[in-house]
Amino acid sequence: GMEATVPQRYIKVFANTLTCLSKLGDDLYLEANHDKIILRTLNNAHSAFSAFQFDLKFFDSYDLRDNIDRKCQIKAKPCQAIFKQYHNMESIVLALDEDEQKLRFEIRCKHGIQKMYKLAFVECEVMKAIYNKDEGFNHIVTLPRRLLECVGNFQNGLEEITVLATRNSIKVKSYTDESKSNDRRSLQTEMDLNPLDFEEFDIKSDFRVTFCLKEFKLMLNFCDSLGQLLTCYIDKAGQPLSISVRYFGIFECDFVLATMIDPTLDSSQTPTTTSSSSAVMSTSEAVRTEKRKRKSDHLSPSNLSTSPRIIQSSTSPRGSPSPIVSPIFGSQRMSNPFESVGDPSPHSQTSNPETFEHAMEEESHFKKRARSMDGMSDHMEVINDPMDDDEEVPSSFPEK
């Protein structure tokens, strides 16, 4: 159905394109038209989208049978393995075999080595993101290396960053969750950039946007491999951030990042129509917040109180007082049945002779019990309860 040949001088760009696509999303969408080939992908969180357009000048030869557009979907991960050793490649033939339903890569390497890879594909509709690169928007033109040096100062594992820009300044800082702003363990990073360091800095209205850092760095690394200037378009929070770069008029790529909706906006100020990517971004944030909530709930003291490390029954097997379990640390403190052994204090004596006589009998009973059970602690760590009256007390215990 379609066949295109990539020359050696563009193999690096083509290989880096497929590697970037495979790192961003799981599925690769291919569209072959009469004047170009477009590769698209979307990440699992639906917060990042990319589209790569190859002009016919990019290929040595291009053949589209019957001049009918072809659209298909393949898995992106295998492409990363195919082009891992692109330095040894001399030419690549990309072909769609509609009879076998396979996308074929015929690779000619050095020393006459020939390789062939086939990936199954399915026909699908065209997937597009809703975004607009309008000159009326705020836009910044710069080298990718400058932005890479900036985001390289943020700690690993940081999920989102916030960019604040005015007509005369721009600031980049790590995103802070308001509910966890008092967390001392979190590292907060903030950088002020000089607008004069950019090739173009056209900010018509102030904005504050928050977006994912991982996907942003992936896009910057690819743009840096091209060595060309990139243009960032942004309107306001809740609207997508788009990055565009062109390669000598034969290759163009667009990256789209969803941004968080500003919670400080009133409902009257919230835009009635938002892009699909920004809407999905708010959904992914809700899922991430729910995961954090579940994790914090799992470690909360209320959970630990219901699930202590040592679980004891509410009633001891012989009717003695049950042990006390600490709800916070899960440790236990056993009730001591011999706490009342000893001379009774004057405050514990009562004026009733019968009650006092009964107390003395109880005291004598516990003293005998204590003497008979002397040495039991050598063989038992904790005594849970006193033994029953009808139970025989052993006269001796084995030595250690």
Side-chain angles (χ1 to χ4, degrees):
M2 183 273 297
E3 184 174 311
T5 303
V6 181
Q8 186 176 10
R9 61 184 179 276
Y10 296 143
I11 285 180
K12 179 180 178 180
V13 176
F14 189 74
N16 289 337
T17 297
L18 293 179
T19 302
C20 179
L21 288 168
S22 62
K23 290 182 179 180
L24 185 62
D26 292 338
D27 297 319
L28 177 63
Y29 300 88
L30 185 147
E31 179 183 359
N33 298 329
H34 66 282
D35 59 345
K36 58 186 175 182
I37 293 179
I38 307 175
L39 300 177
R40 301 183 178 93
T41 192
L42 180 70
N43 68 341
N44 294 331
H46 291 193
S47 60
F49 170 84
S50 63
F52 298 81
Q53 300 184 23
F54 300 90
D55 192 81
L56 296 185
K57 300 177 182 178
F58 188 86
F59 306 100
D60 272 353
S61 62
Y62 180 75
D63 179 28
L64 185 64
R65 185 183 303 173
D66 300 329
N67 205 22
I68 300 176
D69 296 349
R70 264 74 175 183
K71 307 177 186 66
C72 66
Q73 173 187 349
I74 63 173
K75 291 296 180 182
K77 297 303 180 184
C79 297
Q80 186 176 359
I82 293 175
F83 294 97
K84 190 175 183 180
Q85 302 292 336
Y86 68 88
H87 299 283
N88 299 324
M89 301 178 182
E90 294 182 347
S91 67
I92 301 172
V93 176
L94 181 66
L96 276 176
D97 192 338
E98 296 178 343
D99 296 333
E100 297 184 2
Q101 292 290 306
K102 302 284 187 181
L103 176 63
R104 189 173 66 251
F105 293 94
E106 299 177 4
I107 303 175
R108 184 165 59 88
C109 303
K110 296 178 180 178
H111 311 293
I113 299 176
Q114 303 266 348
K115 297 181 181 180
M116 180 181 293
Y117 301 91
K118 294 182 180 181
L119 300 178
F121 71 84
V122 293
E123 296 182 357
C124 65
E125 296 297 326
V126 177
M127 180 189 63
K128 294 182 179 180
I130 302 174
Y131 63 98
N132 183 21
K133 297 183 295 183
D134 191 352
E135 291 298 333
F137 283 12
N138 304 316
H139 71 277
I140 299 172
V141 180
T142 183
L143 286 172
R145 176 57 55 181
R146 290 196 179 97
L147 297 180
L148 276 175
E149 292 174 353
C150 173
V151 298
N153 292 280
F154 293 93
Q155 60 178 336
N156 295 330
L158 183 65
E159 295 182 352
E160 295 96 5
I161 59 173
T162 301
V163 177
L164 303 91
T166 63
R167 289 178 173 84
N168 301 318
S169 66
I170 181 171
K171 181 184 297 183
V172 183
K173 65 178 184 177
S174 52
Y175 171 70
T176 303
D177 192 351
E178 298 296 336
S179 61
K180 300 180 180 180
S181 59
N182 296 327
D183 190 357
R184 298 180 180 179
R185 295 172 298 178
S186 60
L187 176 63
Q188 303 297 325
T189 306
E190 184 174 321
M191 297 186 62
D192 290 323
L193 305 181
N194 188 355
L196 298 178
D197 292 337
F198 300 97
E199 275 65 23
E200 291 185 25
F201 188 82
D202 187 8
I203 305 299
K204 297 179 175 60
S205 60
D206 301 349
F207 64 84
R208 174 194 179 106
V209 294
T210 302
F211 49 87
C212 296
L213 176 60
K214 180 181 177 181
E215 287 79 4
F216 185 62
K217 291 176 68 175
L218 176 63
M219 298 173 182
L220 291 180
N221 282 317
F222 174 79
C223 295
D224 186 53
S225 67
L226 297 178
Q228 304 296 313
L229 294 173
L230 63 82
T231 306
C232 296
Y233 300 92
I234 184 63
D235 184 17
K236 57 184 177 181
Q239 296 295 324
L241 164 70
S242 62
I243 301 174
S244 179
V245 61
R246 295 181 61 86
Y247 186 75
F248 299 114
I250 61 174
F251 170 71
E252 180 180 359
C253 61
D254 293 328
F255 298 98
V256 182
L257 283 174
T259 61
M260 288 186 184
I261 298 176
D262 191 352
T264 60
L265 291 177
D266 298 333
S267 58
S268 60
Q269 297 176 348
T270 304
T272 55
T273 59
T274 58
S275 65
S276 59
S277 58
S278 61
V280 178
M281 179 63 173
S282 60
T283 305
S284 63
E285 284 302 317
V287 173
R288 182 158 44 245
T289 304
E290 180 65 21
K291 289 181 179 179
R292 292 173 180 171
K293 181 177 181 298
R294 292 177 182 176
K295 183 177 180 181
S296 60
D297 290 345
H298 179 69
L299 299 176
S300 62
S302 59
N303 249 3
L304 291 175
S305 62
T306 57
S307 303
R309 293 201 306 265
I310 301 176
I311 302 177
Q312 297 286 345
S313 58
S314 58
T315 305
S316 53
R318 296 176 182 173
S320 61
S322 59
I324 300 174
V325 181
S326 171
I328 302 299
F329 304 102
S331 60
Q332 61 176 0
R333 179 173 60 87
M334 310 299 292
S335 59
N336 188 357
F338 301 105
E339 286 178 352
S340 59
V341 176
D343 296 331
S345 61
H347 301 285
S348 64
Q349 297 181 5
T350 177
S351 59
N352 190 343
E354 296 180 358
T355 305
F356 177 77
E357 184 178 357
H358 177 72
M360 293 299 294
E361 291 178 0
E362 289 291 329
E363 175 191 357
S364 177
H365 170 73
F366 280 110
K367 284 183 178 181
K368 293 179 181 179
R369 184 69 60 82
R371 286 193 299 269
S372 64
M373 299 183 69
D374 186 22
M376 186 176 291
S377 59
D378 294 338
H379 306 277
M380 300 178 62
E381 294 182 359
V382 179
I383 300 175
N384 289 313
D385 52 9
M387 303 176 65
D388 293 338
D389 293 339
D390 56 353
E391 190 172 300
E392 295 182 1
V393 178
S395 59
S396 63
F397 290 89
E399 297 181 357
K400 293 184 180 180

